[in-house]
Amino acid sequence: MEKISISQFDDVYHLFQRSFVLEELRPYEQMKKLFQQNLFSIYAKYDHNELQGAMIVWELENCVYLENFAIETKMRGQGLGTYFLQQFCYLYKDKFLFLEVEVPHDEISRKRIQFYERMGFVLNPYQYIQPTFRENDHSVQLTFMTYPKVMDDQQYQMIKKEIFKVVYQQKGEL
């Protein structure tokens, strides 16, 4: 797993398009611009020039935020998701790690949460509506998972404010 350059951006974005519903993915131009401004890093793994998986990582003041994480469909079930998360946790071992998941409402969302829990992440009791990336997008209700421990109310308020301002580039509160 290595940081990618701008020349690999399109490959990664297409993987994310295949892996996420539209409402959960930034528009191409917006994501590319933020990447070019070095606001986040993209880590990817290639095998013989074929993309296997990727993740977007924001190094923030109070935490490290995993925004998008996807494994190529034909590569799933081979331990790559575990590999990526282990590498993520190792790279940022001295930081408070955080990601968002859909509130568990179906089999897929529950399995996703169970996967993260097996990797040491814990589900937090806080929920919010993700700000939309496009006009007329449907809102998505999310909850936080953190590593290595659950957030307290003070951490939640601080991280929520930072995520809203830096990642979602919104004014106000979640």
Side-chain angles (χ1 to χ4, degrees), residues 98-115:
F98 141 58
L99 57 87
E100 300 162 324
V101 291
E102 287 181 79
V103 173
H105 65 279
D106 62 12
E107 183 77 16
I108 292 171
S109 59
R110 283 188 283 281
K111 283 186 176 188
R112 187 173 295 124
I113 289 169
Q114 290 168 354
F115 167 72

Side-chain angles (χ1 to χ4, degrees), residues 14-172:
H14 294 307
L15 169 63
F16 290 152
Q17 280 183 309
R18 293 187 301 275
S19 303
F20 291 92
V21 295
L22 185 65
E23 292 83 8
E24 293 179 7
L25 186 64
R26 286 178 195 280
Y28 174 86
E29 290 300 330
Q30 181 187 43
M31 185 184 286
K32 188 173 185 177
K33 181 180 176 185
L34 294 171
F35 181 63
Q36 289 172 316
Q37 293 172 342
N38 295 315
L39 293 178
F40 58 77
S41 298
I42 300 177
Y43 291 91
K45 184 172 185 331
Y46 283 84
D47 185 35
H48 297 93
N49 294 323
E50 187 175 341
L51 180 63
Q52 295 183 320
M55 62 174 41
I56 293 176
V57 176
W58 294 74
E59 295 180 40
L60 304 171
E61 185 177 332
N62 297 298
C63 66
V64 177
Y65 169 58
L66 175 58
E67 180 176 16
N68 293 103
F69 169 46
I71 302 299
E72 192 64 65
T73 305
K74 65 183 177 181
M75 303 304 295
R76 292 179 187 164
Q78 299 179 30
L80 279 171
T82 299
Y83 165 80
F84 266 88
L85 281 180
Q86 286 173 337
Q87 292 297 304
F88 174 64
C89 292
Y90 177 76
L91 283 171
Y92 299 103
K93 61 183 171 246
D94 297 326
K95 304 282 185 176
F96 190 73
L97 308 180
F98 141 58
L99 57 87
E100 300 162 324
V101 291
E102 287 181 79
V103 173
H105 65 279
D106 62 12
E107 183 77 16
I108 292 171
S109 59
R110 283 188 283 281
K111 283 186 176 188
R112 187 173 295 124
I113 289 169
Q114 290 168 354
F115 167 72
Y116 288 122
E117 287 174 332
R118 285 192 304 274
M119 299 304 303
F121 283 80
V122 291
L123 190 62
N124 286 258
Y126 311 102
Q127 297 179 8
Y128 69 96
I129 302 296
Q130 178 187 39
T132 58
F133 292 120
R134 297 165 196 80
E135 269 188 54
N136 302 321
D137 268 359
H138 296 288
S139 58
V140 179
Q141 188 168 13
L142 299 174
T143 188
F144 296 121
M145 294 192 78
T146 51
Y147 179 93
K149 60 185 171 120
V150 71
M151 288 188 273
D152 61 30
D153 286 333
Q154 184 179 4
Q155 278 180 304
Y156 169 68
Q157 293 301 328
M158 184 173 49
I159 289 172
K160 178 178 79 166
K161 185 177 181 179
E162 186 174 22
I163 292 293
F164 200 80
K165 180 180 175 186
V166 178
V167 175
Y168 290 117
Q169 299 185 339
Q170 304 271 326
K171 293 184 171 126

